Amino acid sequence: QVQLVQSGAEVKKPGASVKVSCKASGYTFTSYDINWVRQATGQGLEWMGWMNPNSGNTGYAQKFQGRVTMTRNTSISTAYMELSSLRSEDTAVYYCARVLRRDGYNWAALDYWGQGTLVTVSS
Amino acid sequence: EIVLTQSPGTLSLSPGERATLSCRASQSVSSSYLAWYQQKPGQAPRLLIYGASSRATGIPDRFSGSGSGTDFTLTISRLEPEDFAVYYCQQYGSSQYTFGQGTKLEIK
C-alpha cells in the first residue's frame, strides 16, 4: 500500500533552517511528483512547491522563492523540504503529498498524504 | 496567481440534507486541474474529486463535482454524520497550485 512517512516534530529558533523528510513506499518513487503543503493552526492549506523525483526539477510558490529547497534521494525513496530563515509565522504542520497519475495522465491532484510534521519556530 | 474563493465560509446542515459548496476562480481554470479535498481535525486532507468531476478511489457516490471555467461545485447528496468537516478546492495552472480558503460544514 502507498505510504508517505514524514520525520518527527521540530522546534527551531528564528533565523534557523529546518529540513523535513518524506519517505515513500508501496509505489515507484520516481514516477510521481511530490508536493509540499503547510497548514498553520486553525488556518487553511498553503501550497509551497512541487518536485519531480525522477528529474529533480522543482517549482516553488512565489511566497517561498529563495527560502525553500526541495530535494530527493532516489536510493532511499525519500523527498526533502528545507525551509530557511525561519520566522514565527512559519510555525505550522508541513505535509508532503503525492500527485495523482491515472491512465498515464498527471491530474495535478494530491492522492496520498504524509501524516504531517509540526514545525514550531520560537525563541 | 489564480485565487480560489470558496463559499459559504460555514454551512450548517443536518444529516440527510443536501450540501452544495462553491469554488470560484479569479480566472479560468482547466477542468482537468480542479480538485476537492475533505479534512477532519487532526488529519491530513483526503482527496475526494479530481478533474472537476471524477471521484477518487474509495469515495462514496454521494459526493459529486461539477463546473467549468471559473465556477465549480461540490455536492454531497445526503449528508452522513462523517461528512461534517472542512472542504477545500484546489487548482493547478502555470506550474502553480493554489487552494481555496475552505468551507466548514457543521452539524445544525
Side-chain angles (χ1 to χ4, degrees):
Chain A
Q1 70 284 19
V2 174
Q3 277 194 304
L4 298 173
V5 178
Q6 298 182 221
S7 48
E10 303 263 12
V11 179
K12 296 291 183 182
K13 293 195 182 304
S17 297
V18 68
K19 191 171 186 177
V20 179
S21 67
C22 171
K23 183 170 177 59
S25 62
Y27 73 98
T28 303
F29 176 64
T30 51
S31 295
Y32 295 78
D33 287 1
I34 291 285
N35 278 234
W36 290 87
V37 176
R38 76 177 187 180
Q39 186 172 39
T41 301
Q43 303 301 307
L45 302 171
E46 183 174 34
W47 179 73
M48 299 181 69
W50 62 266
M51 181 190 65
N52 180 309
N54 185 45
S55 64
N57 289 346
T58 56
Y60 303 139
Q62 272 194 316
K63 174 176 179 176
F64 299 103
Q65 289 273 3
R67 274 212 307 147
V68 71
T69 305
M70 295 177 187
T71 58
R72 88 288 191 213
N73 182 334
T74 57
S75 67
I76 57 171
S77 300
T78 300
Y80 302 92
M81 185 284 300
E82 184 170 21
L83 188 62
S84 62
S85 303
L86 290 170
R87 33 209 189 230
S88 59
E89 311 88 87
D90 294 318
T91 295
V93 174
Y94 289 75
Y95 294 101
C96 61
R98 190 188 82 161
V99 176
L100 172 67
R101 287 185 65 86
R102 185 163 289 174
D103 302 324
Y105 189 74
N106 182 329
W107 289 95
L110 307 176
D111 63 347
Y112 286 92
W113 294 65
Q115 82 277 18
T117 296
L118 175 61
V119 175
T120 303
V121 183
S122 174
S123 54
Chain B
E1 175 184 308
I2 296 177
V3 176
L4 298 179
T5 301
Q6 294 186 239
S7 61
T10 302
L11 185 57
S12 300
L13 294 170
S14 300
E17 291 193 292
R18 181 186 186 90
T20 302
L21 286 67
S22 173
C23 176
R24 179 161 291 177
S26 60
Q27 54 188 281
S28 187
V29 171
S30 168
S31 294
S32 295
Y33 296 146
L34 193 288
W36 289 92
Y37 301 85
Q38 176 193 71
Q39 188 180 32
K40 296 180 180 178
Q43 297 182 15
R46 176 172 74 144
L47 178 65
L48 299 175
I49 300 288
Y50 67 94
S53 60
S54 297
R55 274 186 299 277
T57 302
I59 301 304
D61 61 8
R62 64 180 181 273
F63 290 91
S64 63
S66 63
S68 63
T70 60
D71 289 294
F72 297 88
T73 300
L74 174 69
T75 302
I76 311 171
S77 58
R78 284 181 57 85
L79 286 165
E80 298 286 343
E82 62 267 27
D83 298 336
F84 292 91
V86 180
Y87 291 84
Y88 296 94
C89 58
Q90 168 251 305
Q91 71 82 37
Y92 170 80
S94 301
S95 298
Q96 300 280 304
Y97 291 69
T98 54
F99 287 93
Q101 84 280 15
T103 289
K104 182 179 181 180
L105 178 56
E106 65 176 25
I107 299 177
K108 188 173 181 180

